[in-house]
Amino acid sequence: MARLHLFDLDGTLLHGTSAPVEISRQLGLEAEAVALDHAVGAGLIDPPEYARRAHALWVELTEAHVVAAFEGAPWLARIREVWAEIRRQGDYCAVVSLSPSFFVERLIGWGAHAAHGSRFPAVPFTEPVDPTGVLSAAAKVVIADRLCGEFGVTRAECIAYGDSSSDRDLFGAVPISVAVNADHHLSDIATHSYTGKDLWEAYELACHAR
Ligand SMILES: [Mg+2]
């Protein structure tokens, strides 16, 4: 039976940072984005409000900034190698993130079968963010179920990788979960825990659980 590996992006594939912070860094607005991350992490604002404020921060954003943010971001090592191995095994890999779709979807180019993020308008922005397209922790589970249908697997074949509270619902819905550079709130409910900068090592923990 094929498996479906579901990866979070911010703090999981990216080490110690988020896509919005990396995007904002290109505009000299890193501190503002870090403050937004703290506010949403503390539950002071919800994901739609976070997206609205990030969009407002990025009025000058161009495609070149997005490319530079993506290429310069501190990715974990061996992401492409892990996804190539997953494909070689006949399994599936997908990224599901609350971060903007225009950043998340670039990971299709690295070998993910699917990549879903919060729906943002095209860059440079001429339209506002539609709050109904912004993802939540619960939406991650809905998308995981939809991907199961697309790939012909069930939740019993899913493995989730994540780092924070937005991964809690998904970790509760699948049999194998790997907390990656997470604090104890998440690692306590995960079946496996990894600290480090090499995705291959996190992937091996999940493989040995088979
Ligand atoms: Mg995360």
Side-chain angles (χ1 to χ4, degrees), residues 112-145:
H113 287 93
H116 292 277
S118 291
R119 198 171 65 242
F120 267 64
V123 175
F125 299 143
T126 56
E127 297 162 42
V129 182
D130 175 359
T132 65
V134 176
L135 302 186
S136 63
K140 282 192 167 195
V141 180
V142 173
I143 290 171
D145 283 339

PDB file of all heavy atoms in Angstrom, residues 112-145:
ATOM      1  N   ALA A 112       7.695  17.636  -4.949  1.00  0.00           N
ATOM      2  CA  ALA A 112       6.467  17.309  -4.209  1.00  0.00           C
ATOM      3  C   ALA A 112       5.353  16.983  -5.206  1.00  0.00           C
ATOM      4  O   ALA A 112       5.250  17.625  -6.258  1.00  0.00           O
ATOM      5  CB  ALA A 112       6.054  18.468  -3.318  1.00  0.00           C
ATOM      6  N   HIS A 113       4.520  15.989  -4.883  1.00  0.00           N
ATOM      7  CA  HIS A 113       3.384  15.671  -5.750  1.00  0.00           C
ATOM      8  C   HIS A 113       2.321  16.765  -5.683  1.00  0.00           C
ATOM      9  O   HIS A 113       1.578  16.974  -6.639  1.00  0.00           O
ATOM     10  CB  HIS A 113       2.742  14.341  -5.329  1.00  0.00           C
ATOM     11  CG  HIS A 113       3.551  13.136  -5.679  1.00  0.00           C
ATOM     12  ND1 HIS A 113       4.449  12.555  -4.801  1.00  0.00           N
ATOM     13  CD2 HIS A 113       3.601  12.393  -6.810  1.00  0.00           C
ATOM     14  CE1 HIS A 113       5.009  11.501  -5.382  1.00  0.00           C
ATOM     15  NE2 HIS A 113       4.524  11.385  -6.601  1.00  0.00           N
ATOM     16  N   ALA A 114       2.229  17.424  -4.539  1.00  0.00           N
ATOM     17  CA  ALA A 114       1.232  18.486  -4.346  1.00  0.00           C
ATOM     18  C   ALA A 114       1.775  19.478  -3.331  1.00  0.00           C
ATOM     19  O   ALA A 114       2.586  19.110  -2.466  1.00  0.00           O
ATOM     20  CB  ALA A 114      -0.085  17.892  -3.842  1.00  0.00           C
ATOM     21  N   ALA A 115       1.357  20.742  -3.444  1.00  0.00           N
ATOM     22  CA  ALA A 115       1.763  21.772  -2.483  1.00  0.00           C
ATOM     23  C   ALA A 115       0.607  22.748  -2.326  1.00  0.00           C
ATOM     24  O   ALA A 115       0.179  23.370  -3.301  1.00  0.00           O
ATOM     25  CB  ALA A 115       3.020  22.491  -2.957  1.00  0.00           C
ATOM     26  N   HIS A 116       0.092  22.841  -1.093  1.00  0.00           N
ATOM     27  CA  HIS A 116      -1.060  23.713  -0.830  1.00  0.00           C
ATOM     28  C   HIS A 116      -0.720  24.740   0.234  1.00  0.00           C
ATOM     29  O   HIS A 116      -0.195  24.402   1.291  1.00  0.00           O
ATOM     30  CB  HIS A 116      -2.253  22.879  -0.356  1.00  0.00           C
ATOM     31  CG  HIS A 116      -2.807  21.992  -1.425  1.00  0.00           C
ATOM     32  ND1 HIS A 116      -3.702  22.441  -2.367  1.00  0.00           N
ATOM     33  CD2 HIS A 116      -2.561  20.696  -1.723  1.00  0.00           C
ATOM     34  CE1 HIS A 116      -3.997  21.445  -3.186  1.00  0.00           C
ATOM     35  NE2 HIS A 116      -3.321  20.383  -2.829  1.00  0.00           N
ATOM     36  N   GLY A 117      -1.036  25.998  -0.042  1.00  0.00           N
ATOM     37  CA  GLY A 117      -0.857  27.072   0.927  1.00  0.00           C
ATOM     38  C   GLY A 117      -2.096  27.942   0.952  1.00  0.00           C
ATOM     39  O   GLY A 117      -3.080  27.667   0.257  1.00  0.00           O
ATOM     40  N   SER A 118      -2.053  28.985   1.782  1.00  0.00           N
ATOM     41  CA  SER A 118      -3.159  29.950   1.809  1.00  0.00           C
ATOM     42  C   SER A 118      -3.198  30.694   0.481  1.00  0.00           C
ATOM     43  O   SER A 118      -2.163  31.160  -0.005  1.00  0.00           O
ATOM     44  CB  SER A 118      -2.965  30.934   2.964  1.00  0.00           C
ATOM     45  OG  SER A 118      -3.145  30.269   4.202  1.00  0.00           O
ATOM     46  N   ARG A 119      -4.391  30.795  -0.089  1.00  0.00           N
ATOM     47  CA  ARG A 119      -4.535  31.386  -1.419  1.00  0.00           C
ATOM     48  C   ARG A 119      -4.352  32.902  -1.358  1.00  0.00           C
ATOM     49  O   ARG A 119      -5.110  33.610  -0.710  1.00  0.00           O
ATOM     50  CB  ARG A 119      -5.909  31.030  -1.990  1.00  0.00           C
ATOM     51  CG  ARG A 119      -6.001  31.221  -3.493  1.00  0.00           C
ATOM     52  CD  ARG A 119      -7.299  30.643  -4.059  1.00  0.00           C
ATOM     53  NE  ARG A 119      -8.475  31.347  -3.569  1.00  0.00           N
ATOM     54  CZ  ARG A 119      -9.439  30.796  -2.834  1.00  0.00           C
ATOM     55  NH1 ARG A 119      -9.374  29.542  -2.494  1.00  0.00           N
ATOM     56  NH2 ARG A 119     -10.465  31.509  -2.423  1.00  0.00           N
ATOM     57  N   PHE A 120      -3.303  33.369  -2.006  1.00  0.00           N
ATOM     58  CA  PHE A 120      -3.015  34.801  -2.125  1.00  0.00           C
ATOM     59  C   PHE A 120      -3.205  35.202  -3.586  1.00  0.00           C
ATOM     60  O   PHE A 120      -3.086  34.364  -4.481  1.00  0.00           O
ATOM     61  CB  PHE A 120      -1.564  35.084  -1.711  1.00  0.00           C
ATOM     62  CG  PHE A 120      -1.381  35.456  -0.265  1.00  0.00           C
ATOM     63  CD1 PHE A 120      -1.676  34.543   0.733  1.00  0.00           C
ATOM     64  CD2 PHE A 120      -0.915  36.718   0.091  1.00  0.00           C
ATOM     65  CE1 PHE A 120      -1.514  34.883   2.075  1.00  0.00           C
ATOM     66  CE2 PHE A 120      -0.747  37.066   1.423  1.00  0.00           C
ATOM     67  CZ  PHE A 120      -1.050  36.152   2.426  1.00  0.00           C
ATOM     68  N   PRO A 121      -3.473  36.501  -3.822  1.00  0.00           N
ATOM     69  CA  PRO A 121      -3.501  36.955  -5.218  1.00  0.00           C
ATOM     70  C   PRO A 121      -2.111  36.885  -5.838  1.00  0.00           C
ATOM     71  O   PRO A 121      -1.115  36.740  -5.124  1.00  0.00           O
ATOM     72  CB  PRO A 121      -3.999  38.405  -5.109  1.00  0.00           C
ATOM     73  CG  PRO A 121      -3.708  38.820  -3.721  1.00  0.00           C
ATOM     74  CD  PRO A 121      -3.753  37.582  -2.869  1.00  0.00           C
ATOM     75  N   ALA A 122      -2.049  36.978  -7.160  1.00  0.00           N
ATOM     76  CA  ALA A 122      -0.772  36.935  -7.863  1.00  0.00           C
ATOM     77  C   ALA A 122       0.087  38.139  -7.471  1.00  0.00           C
ATOM     78  O   ALA A 122      -0.417  39.211  -7.149  1.00  0.00           O
ATOM     79  CB  ALA A 122      -1.015  36.918  -9.368  1.00  0.00           C
ATOM     80  N   VAL A 123       1.423  37.909  -7.516  1.00  0.00           N
ATOM     81  CA  VAL A 123       2.419  38.952  -7.224  1.00  0.00           C
ATOM     82  C   VAL A 123       2.847  39.602  -8.534  1.00  0.00           C
ATOM     83  O   VAL A 123       3.097  38.885  -9.509  1.00  0.00           O
ATOM     84  CB  VAL A 123       3.646  38.315  -6.527  1.00  0.00           C
ATOM     85  CG1 VAL A 123       4.741  39.349  -6.316  1.00  0.00           C
ATOM     86  CG2 VAL A 123       3.237  37.653  -5.212  1.00  0.00           C
ATOM     87  N   PRO A 124       2.968  40.947  -8.614  1.00  0.00           N
ATOM     88  CA  PRO A 124       2.661  41.937  -7.571  1.00  0.00           C
ATOM     89  C   PRO A 124       1.155  42.079  -7.364  1.00  0.00           C
ATOM     90  O   PRO A 124       0.380  41.932  -8.301  1.00  0.00           O
ATOM     91  CB  PRO A 124       3.283  43.235  -8.124  1.00  0.00           C
ATOM     92  CG  PRO A 124       3.312  43.045  -9.606  1.00  0.00           C
ATOM     93  CD  PRO A 124       3.492  41.568  -9.839  1.00  0.00           C
ATOM     94  N   PHE A 125       0.770  42.398  -6.124  1.00  0.00           N
ATOM     95  CA  PHE A 125      -0.643  42.390  -5.760  1.00  0.00           C
ATOM     96  C   PHE A 125      -1.416  43.542  -6.409  1.00  0.00           C
ATOM     97  O   PHE A 125      -0.996  44.693  -6.352  1.00  0.00           O
ATOM     98  CB  PHE A 125      -0.808  42.521  -4.236  1.00  0.00           C
ATOM     99  CG  PHE A 125      -0.176  41.409  -3.461  1.00  0.00           C
ATOM    100  CD1 PHE A 125       0.450  41.670  -2.250  1.00  0.00           C
ATOM    101  CD2 PHE A 125      -0.223  40.094  -3.899  1.00  0.00           C
ATOM    102  CE1 PHE A 125       1.027  40.648  -1.503  1.00  0.00           C
ATOM    103  CE2 PHE A 125       0.344  39.065  -3.166  1.00  0.00           C
ATOM    104  CZ  PHE A 125       0.978  39.351  -1.965  1.00  0.00           C
ATOM    105  N   THR A 126      -2.541  43.173  -6.999  1.00  0.00           N
ATOM    106  CA  THR A 126      -3.499  44.200  -7.445  1.00  0.00           C
ATOM    107  C   THR A 126      -4.858  43.943  -6.793  1.00  0.00           C
ATOM    108  O   THR A 126      -5.788  44.700  -6.990  1.00  0.00           O
ATOM    109  CB  THR A 126      -3.660  44.165  -8.977  1.00  0.00           C
ATOM    110  OG1 THR A 126      -4.054  42.842  -9.375  1.00  0.00           O
ATOM    111  CG2 THR A 126      -2.371  44.543  -9.675  1.00  0.00           C
ATOM    112  N   GLU A 127      -4.930  42.818  -6.042  1.00  0.00           N
ATOM    113  CA  GLU A 127      -6.185  42.447  -5.384  1.00  0.00           C
ATOM    114  C   GLU A 127      -5.923  42.160  -3.909  1.00  0.00           C
ATOM    115  O   GLU A 127      -4.808  41.801  -3.544  1.00  0.00           O
ATOM    116  CB  GLU A 127      -6.755  41.160  -6.005  1.00  0.00           C
ATOM    117  CG  GLU A 127      -7.125  41.247  -7.462  1.00  0.00           C
ATOM    118  CD  GLU A 127      -7.255  39.851  -8.065  1.00  0.00           C
ATOM    119  OE1 GLU A 127      -7.828  38.975  -7.388  1.00  0.00           O
ATOM    120  OE2 GLU A 127      -6.748  39.641  -9.170  1.00  0.00           O
ATOM    121  N   PRO A 128      -6.963  42.252  -3.072  1.00  0.00           N
ATOM    122  CA  PRO A 128      -6.811  41.892  -1.653  1.00  0.00           C
ATOM    123  C   PRO A 128      -6.765  40.376  -1.467  1.00  0.00           C
ATOM    124  O   PRO A 128      -7.005  39.620  -2.415  1.00  0.00           O
ATOM    125  CB  PRO A 128      -8.072  42.483  -1.005  1.00  0.00           C
ATOM    126  CG  PRO A 128      -9.083  42.496  -2.096  1.00  0.00           C
ATOM    127  CD  PRO A 128      -8.322  42.722  -3.383  1.00  0.00           C
ATOM    128  N   VAL A 129      -6.460  39.951  -0.237  1.00  0.00           N
ATOM    129  CA  VAL A 129      -6.515  38.522   0.111  1.00  0.00           C
ATOM    130  C   VAL A 129      -7.972  38.169   0.389  1.00  0.00           C
ATOM    131  O   VAL A 129      -8.664  38.887   1.099  1.00  0.00           O
ATOM    132  CB  VAL A 129      -5.700  38.215   1.381  1.00  0.00           C
ATOM    133  CG1 VAL A 129      -5.739  36.717   1.678  1.00  0.00           C
ATOM    134  CG2 VAL A 129      -4.277  38.667   1.231  1.00  0.00           C
ATOM    135  N   ASP A 130      -8.401  37.050  -0.164  1.00  0.00           N
ATOM    136  CA  ASP A 130      -9.736  36.536   0.151  1.00  0.00           C
ATOM    137  C   ASP A 130      -9.617  35.698   1.427  1.00  0.00           C
ATOM    138  O   ASP A 130      -8.952  34.664   1.421  1.00  0.00           O
ATOM    139  CB  ASP A 130     -10.220  35.665  -1.009  1.00  0.00           C
ATOM    140  CG  ASP A 130     -11.547  34.988  -0.712  1.00  0.00           C
ATOM    141  OD1 ASP A 130     -12.091  35.173   0.401  1.00  0.00           O
ATOM    142  OD2 ASP A 130     -12.035  34.265  -1.596  1.00  0.00           O
ATOM    143  N   PRO A 131     -10.221  36.157   2.546  1.00  0.00           N
ATOM    144  CA  PRO A 131     -10.044  35.425   3.816  1.00  0.00           C
ATOM    145  C   PRO A 131     -10.524  33.975   3.753  1.00  0.00           C
ATOM    146  O   PRO A 131     -10.030  33.130   4.507  1.00  0.00           O
ATOM    147  CB  PRO A 131     -10.858  36.240   4.831  1.00  0.00           C
ATOM    148  CG  PRO A 131     -11.710  37.159   4.036  1.00  0.00           C
ATOM    149  CD  PRO A 131     -11.058  37.352   2.693  1.00  0.00           C
ATOM    150  N   THR A 132     -11.436  33.668   2.828  1.00  0.00           N
ATOM    151  CA  THR A 132     -11.940  32.288   2.751  1.00  0.00           C
ATOM    152  C   THR A 132     -10.897  31.338   2.151  1.00  0.00           C
ATOM    153  O   THR A 132     -11.033  30.124   2.281  1.00  0.00           O
ATOM    154  CB  THR A 132     -13.233  32.202   1.920  1.00  0.00           C
ATOM    155  OG1 THR A 132     -12.947  32.563   0.561  1.00  0.00           O
ATOM    156  CG2 THR A 132     -14.306  33.131   2.466  1.00  0.00           C
ATOM    157  N   GLY A 133      -9.841  31.896   1.524  1.00  0.00           N
ATOM    158  CA  GLY A 133      -8.792  31.047   0.961  1.00  0.00           C
ATOM    159  C   GLY A 133      -7.625  30.824   1.904  1.00  0.00           C
ATOM    160  O   GLY A 133      -6.669  30.138   1.553  1.00  0.00           O
ATOM    161  N   VAL A 134      -7.715  31.416   3.105  1.00  0.00           N
ATOM    162  CA  VAL A 134      -6.625  31.285   4.082  1.00  0.00           C
ATOM    163  C   VAL A 134      -6.811  29.990   4.868  1.00  0.00           C
ATOM    164  O   VAL A 134      -7.906  29.714   5.354  1.00  0.00           O
ATOM    165  CB  VAL A 134      -6.598  32.501   5.029  1.00  0.00           C
ATOM    166  CG1 VAL A 134      -5.524  32.325   6.098  1.00  0.00           C
ATOM    167  CG2 VAL A 134      -6.352  33.785   4.229  1.00  0.00           C
ATOM    168  N   LEU A 135      -5.741  29.199   4.976  1.00  0.00           N
ATOM    169  CA  LEU A 135      -5.839  27.902   5.641  1.00  0.00           C
ATOM    170  C   LEU A 135      -5.699  28.031   7.164  1.00  0.00           C
ATOM    171  O   LEU A 135      -5.204  29.028   7.672  1.00  0.00           O
ATOM    172  CB  LEU A 135      -4.772  26.953   5.103  1.00  0.00           C
ATOM    173  CG  LEU A 135      -4.815  26.689   3.597  1.00  0.00           C
ATOM    174  CD1 LEU A 135      -3.806  25.618   3.210  1.00  0.00           C
ATOM    175  CD2 LEU A 135      -6.223  26.278   3.162  1.00  0.00           C
ATOM    176  N   SER A 136      -6.155  26.987   7.853  1.00  0.00           N
ATOM    177  CA  SER A 136      -6.073  26.898   9.316  1.00  0.00           C
ATOM    178  C   SER A 136      -5.544  25.509   9.673  1.00  0.00           C
ATOM    179  O   SER A 136      -5.370  24.662   8.794  1.00  0.00           O
ATOM    180  CB  SER A 136      -7.470  27.056   9.914  1.00  0.00           C
ATOM    181  OG  SER A 136      -8.287  25.978   9.461  1.00  0.00           O
ATOM    182  N   ALA A 137      -5.343  25.274  10.966  1.00  0.00           N
ATOM    183  CA  ALA A 137      -4.916  23.938  11.418  1.00  0.00           C
ATOM    184  C   ALA A 137      -5.940  22.892  10.992  1.00  0.00           C
ATOM    185  O   ALA A 137      -5.570  21.808  10.525  1.00  0.00           O
ATOM    186  CB  ALA A 137      -4.745  23.943  12.934  1.00  0.00           C
ATOM    187  N   ALA A 138      -7.216  23.205  11.141  1.00  0.00           N
ATOM    188  CA  ALA A 138      -8.273  22.244  10.770  1.00  0.00           C
ATOM    189  C   ALA A 138      -8.293  22.016   9.264  1.00  0.00           C
ATOM    190  O   ALA A 138      -8.544  20.899   8.799  1.00  0.00           O
ATOM    191  CB  ALA A 138      -9.630  22.754  11.247  1.00  0.00           C
ATOM    192  N   ALA A 139      -7.997  23.063   8.490  1.00  0.00           N
ATOM    193  CA  ALA A 139      -7.995  22.940   7.026  1.00  0.00           C
ATOM    194  C   ALA A 139      -6.901  21.989   6.562  1.00  0.00           C
ATOM    195  O   ALA A 139      -7.032  21.340   5.516  1.00  0.00           O
ATOM    196  CB  ALA A 139      -7.823  24.309   6.380  1.00  0.00           C
ATOM    197  N   LYS A 140      -5.812  21.892   7.336  1.00  0.00           N
ATOM    198  CA  LYS A 140      -4.743  20.956   6.955  1.00  0.00           C
ATOM    199  C   LYS A 140      -5.283  19.529   6.900  1.00  0.00           C
ATOM    200  O   LYS A 140      -4.885  18.744   6.042  1.00  0.00           O
ATOM    201  CB  LYS A 140      -3.587  21.026   7.962  1.00  0.00           C
ATOM    202  CG  LYS A 140      -2.675  22.221   7.796  1.00  0.00           C
ATOM    203  CD  LYS A 140      -1.424  22.013   8.641  1.00  0.00           C
ATOM    204  CE  LYS A 140      -0.347  23.019   8.275  1.00  0.00           C
ATOM    205  NZ  LYS A 140       0.974  22.644   8.789  1.00  0.00           N
ATOM    206  N   VAL A 141      -6.162  19.187   7.831  1.00  0.00           N
ATOM    207  CA  VAL A 141      -6.738  17.837   7.865  1.00  0.00           C
ATOM    208  C   VAL A 141      -7.680  17.641   6.674  1.00  0.00           C
ATOM    209  O   VAL A 141      -7.676  16.574   6.041  1.00  0.00           O
ATOM    210  CB  VAL A 141      -7.474  17.587   9.203  1.00  0.00           C
ATOM    211  CG1 VAL A 141      -8.060  16.174   9.228  1.00  0.00           C
ATOM    212  CG2 VAL A 141      -6.531  17.792  10.383  1.00  0.00           C
ATOM    213  N   VAL A 142      -8.462  18.664   6.362  1.00  0.00           N
ATOM    214  CA  VAL A 142      -9.372  18.594   5.213  1.00  0.00           C
ATOM    215  C   VAL A 142      -8.574  18.363   3.929  1.00  0.00           C
ATOM    216  O   VAL A 142      -8.934  17.527   3.088  1.00  0.00           O
ATOM    217  CB  VAL A 142     -10.214  19.892   5.109  1.00  0.00           C
ATOM    218  CG1 VAL A 142     -11.040  19.903   3.829  1.00  0.00           C
ATOM    219  CG2 VAL A 142     -11.112  20.041   6.341  1.00  0.00           C
ATOM    220  N   ILE A 143      -7.467  19.102   3.778  1.00  0.00           N
ATOM    221  CA  ILE A 143      -6.634  18.957   2.577  1.00  0.00           C
ATOM    222  C   ILE A 143      -5.973  17.578   2.558  1.00  0.00           C
ATOM    223  O   ILE A 143      -5.895  16.932   1.507  1.00  0.00           O
ATOM    224  CB  ILE A 143      -5.594  20.088   2.498  1.00  0.00           C
ATOM    225  CG1 ILE A 143      -6.318  21.415   2.192  1.00  0.00           C
ATOM    226  CG2 ILE A 143      -4.543  19.798   1.429  1.00  0.00           C
ATOM    227  CD1 ILE A 143      -5.442  22.637   2.288  1.00  0.00           C
ATOM    228  N   ALA A 144      -5.529  17.109   3.718  1.00  0.00           N
ATOM    229  CA  ALA A 144      -4.925  15.770   3.792  1.00  0.00           C
ATOM    230  C   ALA A 144      -5.924  14.717   3.328  1.00  0.00           C
ATOM    231  O   ALA A 144      -5.570  13.812   2.558  1.00  0.00           O
ATOM    232  CB  ALA A 144      -4.463  15.484   5.222  1.00  0.00           C
ATOM    233  N   ASP A 145      -7.165  14.847   3.762  1.00  0.00           N
ATOM    234  CA  ASP A 145      -8.201  13.883   3.336  1.00  0.00           C
ATOM    235  C   ASP A 145      -8.432  13.964   1.827  1.00  0.00           C
ATOM    236  O   ASP A 145      -8.607  12.944   1.163  1.00  0.00           O
ATOM    237  CB  ASP A 145      -9.511  14.145   4.080  1.00  0.00           C
ATOM    238  CG  ASP A 145      -9.478  13.629   5.515  1.00  0.00           C
ATOM    239  OD1 ASP A 145      -8.652  12.744   5.815  1.00  0.00           O
ATOM    240  OD2 ASP A 145     -10.287  14.120   6.338  1.00  0.00           O
TER     241      ASP A 145
END
